[in-house]
């Protein structure tokens, strides 16, 4: 059984007039990418803040690397990587020196810096001051810094929002590599395609409540009530058929006659699942 690197049990968080998290429970194991999905204001950042010791929960218990979050200290921080909106960089230092400063603190070999810079497409910008790089580049720099020391647990708040598809793909590759090496990755995203592709498990969060929690595949199958098939025939006709005895007979006949060019089942994507569970869009 893999180790639970994050464990959250019945955690609630109340701000003065508002309940931001309502009795949430989940775990993230080593080598797992866990997606925490919810619309704006649903409690994603609050959860990351609690798990990184920046905010105290009102009730319940949470553990990171086996330690209660109330006891997170420097030695635990060294095993975490955190990317959030307020992760800053040294504006006056170059991209490269930002990473050197961090590498020194955490005893990381310098040659890993160039390797990662190449991966995230920042290598040719390494001598630019951080104050002069674009927002997307800064985001990549922050992400690189969070991955530099191969943390055991990585918290990523919307890591690829606003990035181009090529960089997004490069970052996904890096995340999968870290996962294979055993890192537990806690990822918040609005991007359902990203979640489906990367996450082993996802929790859907609505108004501070986890309304679903499973693998992306199980969720899309669970909400695939009206089974349908999208078929392209040799005569270039496209048809969508529901899963009825008549339709199955028809499909069989087409298969026997070799009349089908393509056939796809039409499960809902995570976005549709979210809409069905909560009645609201994931924006
Ligand atoms: N410091 C605070 N004081 C009072 N209310 C807060 C505070 N921080 C968050 N909240 C409230 O808690 C709820 C959850 O906020 P949170 O930032 O966790 O949402 P989120 O899911 O991360 O949203 P987004 O996707 O927009 O970043 C919101 O209603 C927010 O207004």
């Amino acid at each position: 059984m893999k180790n639970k690197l994050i464990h959250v049990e019945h955690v609630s968080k109340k701000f003065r007039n508002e309940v931001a998290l309502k009795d949430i429970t989940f775990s993230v194991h080593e080598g797992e990418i866990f997606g925490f999905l919810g619309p704006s204001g649903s409690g994603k950042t609050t959860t990351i803040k609690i798990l990184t010791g920046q905010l105290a929960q009102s009730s319940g218990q949470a553990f990171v690397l086996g330690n209660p979050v109330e006891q997170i200290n420097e030695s635990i921080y060294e095993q975490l990587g955190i990317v959030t909106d307020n992760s800053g960089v040294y504006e006056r230092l170059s991209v490269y020196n930002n990473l050197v400063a961090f590498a020194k603190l955490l005893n990381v070999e310098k040659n890993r810096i160039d390797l990662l810079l190449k991966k995230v497409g920042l290598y040719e910008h390494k001598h630019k001051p951080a104050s002069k790089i674009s927002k997307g580049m800064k985001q990549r720099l922050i992400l690189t810094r969070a991955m530099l020391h191969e943390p055991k647990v990585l918290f990523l708040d919307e890591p690829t929002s606003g990035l181009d598809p090529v960089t997004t793909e490069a970052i996904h590759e890096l995340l999968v590599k870290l996962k294979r090496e055993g890192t537990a990755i806690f990822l918040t995203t609005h991007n359902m395609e990203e979640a489906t592709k990367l996450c082993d498990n996802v929790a859907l969060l609505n108004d501070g409540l986890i309304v679903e929690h499973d693998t992306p595949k199980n969720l899309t199958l669970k909400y695939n009530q009206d089974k349908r098939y999208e078929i392209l025939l040799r005569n270039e006709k496209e048809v969508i058929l529901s899963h009825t005895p008549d339709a199955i007979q028809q499909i069989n006949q087409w298969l026997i006659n070799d009349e089908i060019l393509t056939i796809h089942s039409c499960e809902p994507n995570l976005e549709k699942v979210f809409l069905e569970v909560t009645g609201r869009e994931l924006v």
Side-chain angles (χ1 to χ4, degrees), residues 15 18 20 38-47 158 190:
F15 291 108
E18 199 169 342
S40 181
S42 58
K44 303 181 299 290
T45 308
T46 301
T47 306
E158 299 277 348
H190 286 105

Side-chain angles (χ1 to χ4, degrees), residues 12-66:
S12 295
K13 175 67 188 173
K14 272 189 198 136
F15 291 108
R16 199 169 293 171
N17 314 316
E18 199 169 342
V19 183
L21 291 175
K22 298 170 188 160
D23 195 20
I24 62 167
T25 295
F26 64 88
S27 300
V28 188
H29 295 82
E30 62 181 340
E32 177 182 343
I33 302 184
F34 181 83
F36 209 50
L37 317 176
S40 181
S42 58
K44 303 181 299 290
T45 308
T46 301
T47 306
I48 290 192
K49 284 190 175 161
I50 290 172
L51 293 176
T52 52
Q54 300 174 65
L55 198 65
Q57 69 270 32
S58 308
S59 59
Q61 288 182 299
F63 302 85
V64 171
L65 291 163

